[in-house]
């Protein structure tokens, strides 16, 4: 299906999120959509998939102008979107999810749907058990389910929003294979990303957005340097990091076992010293979050010992961990960290943990203003957190962590951030490390793990490998370990 | 706030009240009653004489106290449906003191109010503990405890605390006069009740607005997980919010027992707990609206008492009007949010 955007405009208040966007995507191609946070990619894709309505302009499918009021209508006309966080119903089975949203009679024909699901799965070599609950799937498998679901509903244009986030290397290889196959079968694939390597690997053509406008288009062959130039107007060089001599042990784990209702990771032994950065690698949901939360005192470990700065911390409440200089940065910004409806000043007051009774609003506002400037947050003391962009929310979260932390536990500290924000975050973290903090962080981005970690802990299939030396590990090695080879 | 915003808010607030009146009028016409006479009867029933007006204030006091308590729990994100039972337990606490302690009024009255507050607070803490430690949602816990509290009151009235010789559901033996809240001559209200309501309202308004505790409560109500991450002790604050709300509810119950009825009766809470929930909803969860909305509700409640006597219309009309207005207000808020 040939897809044309013609002069698309969209305003959100004063922000011109899409400004006269026009380009064409031919049927049977994989088209990359690149841009930093706030460039307007998500807005454009939400317009295309019927989640929001454009202010002006036209969308044409195979030459016909189309109009849709909601995602169901868009899908009916052939446009389907895979969201970064799959929009499925985890407690239901794969088959139930597959059936959801179909306009059928009162009684569903489950056996026909089952056959349908199996045929489609086989066509792409997916291994989807119709009766397994979706909650038991990895993000990669949930993507596969979403692909077959959309195809069965007649999607001819498929939008993939950051699909390589949170999936393993083998799953990524499988995904790319699938995308190429889909393109061969005449589907139009839009691949939204800010990973240059992925775009380079996969896309025949790439459109780059910046500040709501199309700033350029490149066709194969192109280089990632070209893309970076278009995205930012400048290229970033990764800096050499200063060597830090590790100090006293800050965190000691002895034969720790962490678990939740579906996963159990035993035998974690680790000593993290002041000034050390330890990367937690692995497919998302392999236990990295469990470990970070256990070290933060948010979830109790099943067995083993946690010591912080020498003191045994098992069974201590979260506040005791805070008092010992432990800081945890959650991945869900607006779910676990920030309180929608409260402004930045109020957040800084809450985070200071003072014992004063009355709030001194003037002093608090000045404090907030200083932190906002220091952390380069685009907003003012009275800005509600939900009005900030993702990158600025992340900066706000970091600003809420006390400066004198001994142990920083970071869950996906740069997820969803553009390159500039990512570099900024790491600059902050490296400064903290210089001041003697030990850092544990999880990331789905192998390059990030390799670039910043002194040591790497690989999680795979309920196990944790011996810590690797960051400098001596290659991407290939790491990828294989994550995929479960050699563990 | 800009001027247009103010008028906008006012319109969205007053519109539902007018529409509620229109719909109630239609309902009256449908049953063949004369709306003008019905409203006139309600008006004179509420404001026709000083004694009538004092009855309105009698209802206003527990509504304000209940709403003040609910402002705390709503801020913390809790639905304290159990407030009705907490009022009953407050009344029972006050009755217990009135029946067993023999002291002069200046000591006995404060003691009895404290006992009422304590009774309500403990009953609310039970709902809180069920939520925090037992994972029972506070709506179900509160609802269950309401029935238990009412049952307990009934048991005391026809059992251990029954009037000499006869066991009657009309109530216990009247309290000794030292346990009565002083009233103005010829009226059913006195200065203590009104002062209690106004001081409670001011205190809670200031505490929610200006203290760290108020901010922490607000954060918990909007996102408990994030608040916990920020270092706010969520469970402690939940329990505290329940206890405080229960204390205000208990105070209302004690005031009803010692100030209005001078004894314990089975339906001592008079539905004021549930009605307080509506008052807070209609006030937009803000303390500023509470005294006025509570006054309106009190006037409608007391004004409609005269309806069956004068016009053979059931006094439930007042409830219809109140429910209609709250429903329309909540609806208008929803519609407004949708098209904003």
């Amino acid at each position: 299906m040939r897809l044309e955007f013609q002069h698309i405009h969209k305003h959100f208040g004063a922000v011109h999120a899409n400004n006269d966007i026009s380009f064409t995507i031919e049927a049977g191609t994989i088209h990359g959509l690149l841009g930093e946070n706030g460039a307007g990619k998500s807005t454009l894709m939400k317009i295309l998939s019927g989640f929001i309505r454009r202010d002006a302009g036209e969308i044409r499918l195979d030459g016909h102008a189309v109009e849709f009021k909601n995602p169901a209508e868009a899908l009916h006309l052939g446009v389907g979107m895979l969201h970064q966080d799959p929009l499925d119903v985890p407690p239901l089975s794969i088959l139930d999810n597959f059936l959801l949203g179909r306009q059928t009679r009162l009684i569903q024909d489950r056996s026909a749907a089952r056959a349908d699901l199996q045929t489609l799965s086989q066509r792409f070599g997916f291994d989807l058990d119709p009766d397994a609950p979706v909650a038991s799937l990895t993000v990669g498998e949930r993507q596969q389910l979403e692909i077959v679901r959309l195809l069965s509903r007649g999607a001819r244009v498929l939008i993939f929003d950051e699909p390589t986030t949170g999936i393993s290397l083998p799953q990524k290889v499988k995904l790319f294979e699938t995308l190429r196959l889909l393109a061969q079968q005449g589907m139009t694939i839009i691949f939204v990303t800010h990973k240059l390597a992925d775009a380079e690997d996969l896309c025949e053509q790439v459109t780059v957005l910046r500040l709501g406008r199309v700033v350029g288009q490149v066709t194969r062959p192109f280089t990632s340097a070209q893309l970076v130039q278009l995205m930012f107007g400048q290229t970033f060089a990764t800096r050499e990091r200063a060597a830090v001599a590790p100090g006293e042990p800050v965190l000691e784990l002895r034969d720790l076992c962490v678990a939740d209702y579906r996963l159990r990771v035993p035998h974690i032994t680790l000593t993290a010293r002041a000034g050390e950065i330890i990367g937690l690698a692995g497919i998302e949901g392999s236990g990295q979050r469990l470990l970070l939360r256990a070290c933060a005192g948010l979830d109790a470990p099943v067995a083993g010992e946690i010591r912080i700065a020498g003191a045994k911390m098992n069974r201590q409440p979260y506040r005791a961990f805070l008092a010992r200089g432990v800081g945890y940065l959650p991945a869900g910004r607006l779910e676990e960290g920030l309180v929608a409806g409260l402004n930045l000043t109020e957040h800084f007051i809450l985070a200071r943990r003072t014992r004063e009774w009355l709030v001194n609003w003037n002093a608090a506002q000045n404090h907030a203003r200083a932190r906002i400037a220091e952390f380069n947050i685009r907003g003012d003391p009275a800005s509600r957190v939900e009005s900030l962009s993702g990158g600025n929310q992340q900066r706000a979260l970091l600003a809420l962590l006390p400066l004198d932390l001994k142990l920083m536990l970071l869950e996906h500290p740069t997820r969803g951030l553009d390159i500039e924000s990512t570099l900024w975050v790491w600059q902050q973290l490296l400064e903290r490390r210089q001041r003697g903090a030990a850092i544990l962080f999880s990331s789905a981005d192998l390059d990030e793990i390799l670039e910043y970690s002194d040591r790497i802990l690989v999680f795979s299939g309920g196990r944790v490998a011996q810590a690797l030396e960051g400098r001596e590990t290659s991407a290939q090695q790491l990828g294989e370990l994550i995929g479960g080879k050699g563990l | 706030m800009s001027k247009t915003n103010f008028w906008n808010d006012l319109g969205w607030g007053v519109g539902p009240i007018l529409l509620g009146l229109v719909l109630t009028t239609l309902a009256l016409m449908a049953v063949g009653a004369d709306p003008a006479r019905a409203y006139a009867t309600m008006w004179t029933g509420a404001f026709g004489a000083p004694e009538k007006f004092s009855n309105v204030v009698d209802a206003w006091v527990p509504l304000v106290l209940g709403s003040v308590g609910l402002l705390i729990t709503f801020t913390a994100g809790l639905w304290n449906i159990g407030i009705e039972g907490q009022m009953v337990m407050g009344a029972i606490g006050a009755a217990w003191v009135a029946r067993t302690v023999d002291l002069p009024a200046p000591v006995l009255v404060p003691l009895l109010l404290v006992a009422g507050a304590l009774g309500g607070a403990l009953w609310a803490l039970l709902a809180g503990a069920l939520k925090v430690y037992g994972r029972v949602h506070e709506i179900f816990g509160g609802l269950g405890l309401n029935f238990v509290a009412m049952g307990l009151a009934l048991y005391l009235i026809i059992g251990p605390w029954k009037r000499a010789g006869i066991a009657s559901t009309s109530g216990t033996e009247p309290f000794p006069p030292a346990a009565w809240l002083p009233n103005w001559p010829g009226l059913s209200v006195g200065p203590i009740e009104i002062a209690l309501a106004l001081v409670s309202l001011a205190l809670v308004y200031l505490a929610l607005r200006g203290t760290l505790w108020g901010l922490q409560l607000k954060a918990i109500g909007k996102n408990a997980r994030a608040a916990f991450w920020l270092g706010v002790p969520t469970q402690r604050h939940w329990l505290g919010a329940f206890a405080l709300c229960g204390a205000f509810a208990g105070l209302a119950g004690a005031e009803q027992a010692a100030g209005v009825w001078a004894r314990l009766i089975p339906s001592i809470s008079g539905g004021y707990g549930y009605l307080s929930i509506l008052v807070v909803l209609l006030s937009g969860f803000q303390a500023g609206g509470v005294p006025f909305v509570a006054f309106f509700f009190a006037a409608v409640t007391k004004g409609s008492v005269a309806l069956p006597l004068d016009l053979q219309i059931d006094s439930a009309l007042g409830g219809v009007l109140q429910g209609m207005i709250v429903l329309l207000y909540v609806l208008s808020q929803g519609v407004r949010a949708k098209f904003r």
Side-chain angles (χ1 to χ4, degrees), chain A residues 40-235:
Chain A
K41 307 174 300 235
S42 301
T43 303
L44 188 65
M45 290 304 104
K46 281 181 184 163
I47 289 173
L48 177 60
S49 58
F51 271 90
I52 54 178
R53 308 195 67 177
R54 57 189 186 270
D55 294 341
E58 208 170 68
I59 293 173
R60 287 166 170 271
L61 294 175
D62 280 340
H64 303 289
V66 289
E67 197 67 53
F68 17 74
K69 289 199 272 301
N70 56 46
E73 283 188 24
L75 188 51
H76 187 69
L77 290 169
V79 181
M81 176 154 175
L82 273 90
H83 292 263
Q84 195 174 346
D85 301 309
L87 295 179
D88 48 24
V89 189
L92 297 185
S93 71
I94 289 186
L95 185 61
D96 288 333
N97 272 278
F98 184 70
L99 279 164
L100 278 183
R102 289 192 168 195
Q103 319 249 329
T104 54
R105 297 163 300 272
L106 195 59
I107 311 286
Q108 308 250 9
D109 189 349
R110 293 180 70 87
S111 54
R114 183 182 292 265
D116 215 11
L117 172 64
Q118 272 158 349
T119 322
L120 273 167
S121 300
Q122 270 161 21
R123 198 162 110 205
F124 297 101
F126 297 159
D127 181 24
L128 295 173
D129 170 6
D131 300 311
V134 165
S136 69
L137 303 185
T138 62
V139 175
E141 286 167 331
R142 285 164 77 178
Q143 282 176 352
Q144 297 177 348
L145 167 62
E146 200 56 14
I147 292 173
V148 294
R149 194 180 73 82
L150 292 174
L151 288 177
S152 81
R153 300 279 314 279
R156 309 286 312 283
V157 175
L158 286 168
I159 306 163
F160 290 82
D161 185 14
E162 302 282 354
T164 57
T165 304
I167 64 174
S168 66
L169 200 60
Q171 277 180 331
K172 182 169 135 180
V173 171
K174 178 77 199 161
L175 174 71
F176 282 13
E177 224 173 77
T178 308
L179 293 184
R180 292 196 181 99
L181 194 60
L182 284 166
Q184 269 172 30
Q185 293 173 355
M187 304 290 165
T188 310
I189 308 291
I190 304 179
F191 188 82
V192 183
T193 187
H194 38 237
K195 288 187 190 147
L196 305 173
D198 289 352
E200 225 181 322
D201 253 17
L202 193 68
C203 302
E204 281 129 73
Q205 202 173 38
V206 174
T207 298
V208 182
L209 298 185
R210 192 161 83 212
L211 297 171
R213 290 171 179 278
V214 175
V215 290
Q217 215 170 37
V218 291
T219 311
R220 206 172 263 285
F222 52 84
T223 65
S224 46
Q226 267 176 295
L227 296 178
V228 171
Q229 186 74 36
L230 282 172
M231 278 170 75
F232 303 101
Q234 55 178 314
T235 46

Side-chain angles (χ1 to χ4, degrees), chain A residues 289 298 318-319 328 330 334-340 342 346 349-350 353-354 356-357 359 397, chain B residues 206 209-213 215-216 218-220 222-223 225-233 236:
Chain A
R289 177 180 163 87
L298 286 164
Y318 174 58
R319 284 172 82 81
Y328 166 69
L334 276 180
E335 294 77 32
E336 302 169 273
L338 300 174
V339 183
L342 296 192
E346 291 172 317
I349 296 168
L350 290 168
R353 300 179 197 115
T354 54
E356 65 191 30
W357 257 62
V359 176
L397 275 180
Chain B
L206 291 174
R209 199 184 153 87
T211 64
L212 184 63
W213 172 78
L215 179 59
Q216 290 183 331
K218 201 166 145 190
I220 292 173
K222 290 178 183 295
N223 186 346
R225 280 178 81 183
F228 185 74
W229 176 73
L230 285 162
V232 179
R236 208 166 73 203

Side-chain angles (χ1 to χ4, degrees), chain B residues 27-39:
Chain B
L28 279 170
M29 286 160 74
V31 298
D34 178 357
R37 276 189 65 200
Y39 289 129

Side-chain angles (χ1 to χ4, degrees), chain B residues 196-331:
Chain B
L196 272 181
L198 290 177
V199 170
S200 303
L201 183 70
L203 278 179
V204 169
Y205 171 75
L206 291 174
L208 288 179
R209 199 184 153 87
T211 64
L212 184 63
W213 172 78
L215 179 59
Q216 290 183 331
L217 225 53
K218 201 166 145 190
I220 292 173
K222 290 178 183 295
N223 186 346
R225 280 178 81 183
F228 185 74
W229 176 73
L230 285 162
V232 179
T234 47
Q235 297 199 340
R236 208 166 73 203
H237 276 336
W238 268 327
L239 292 174
F242 268 115
L244 272 173
C245 180
F248 284 112
L251 213 50
E255 183 269 334
Q256 286 289 297
V260 179
W261 300 97
R263 60 201 154 106
L264 183 66
I265 59 166
S267 55
I268 187 80
S269 56
Y272 292 133
Y274 293 129
L275 211 50
S276 299
I277 297 176
L278 298 189
V279 169
V280 176
L281 282 179
L282 197 54
S283 308
F285 305 102
Q286 302 297 319
V290 162
F292 307 103
V293 176
F295 184 76
F296 174 71
F297 273 47
V300 171
T301 303
K302 290 297 179 183
S304 55
V305 170
L307 285 173
L309 304 175
D310 299 358
L311 290 174
Q312 283 80 47
I313 303 171
D314 196 87
S315 60
L317 179 69
V320 172
L321 181 61
Q322 290 164 342
M324 198 85 92
I325 288 174
V326 172
L327 216 55
L328 287 165
Y329 173 77
V330 174
L331 178 68

Side-chain angles (χ1 to χ4, degrees), chain A residues 329-334 336-338 377 392-401, chain B residues 229:
Chain A
L329 189 80
R333 291 172 202 138
L334 276 180
E336 302 169 273
L338 300 174
I377 301 167
N392 284 310
Q393 286 173 1
Q394 190 73 7
R395 287 167 199 256
L397 275 180
L398 274 173
L400 289 170
L401 293 177
Chain B
W229 176 73

Side-chain angles (χ1 to χ4, degrees), chain B residues 25-116:
Chain B
T25 305
L26 290 177
L28 279 170
M29 286 160 74
V31 298
D34 178 357
R37 276 189 65 200
Y39 289 129
T41 305
M42 282 172 77
W43 178 267
T44 46
F47 306 116
E51 309 85 64
K52 305 232 158 150
F53 183 70
S54 88
N55 283 338
V56 172
V57 179
D58 268 341
W60 179 79
V61 170
L63 282 178
V64 169
L65 285 171
S67 304
V68 160
L70 288 169
L71 283 174
I72 299 171
T73 40
F74 272 124
T75 303
L78 301 167
W79 280 82
N80 186 17
I81 302 292
I83 185 167
E84 192 78 23
Q86 291 148 24
M87 285 188 178
V88 173
M89 292 310 276
I92 290 176
W96 179 71
V97 168
R99 292 175 58 86
T100 52
V101 180
D102 185 17
L103 286 169
V107 189
L108 186 57
V109 166
L111 194 65
L112 155 165
L113 291 175
V114 169

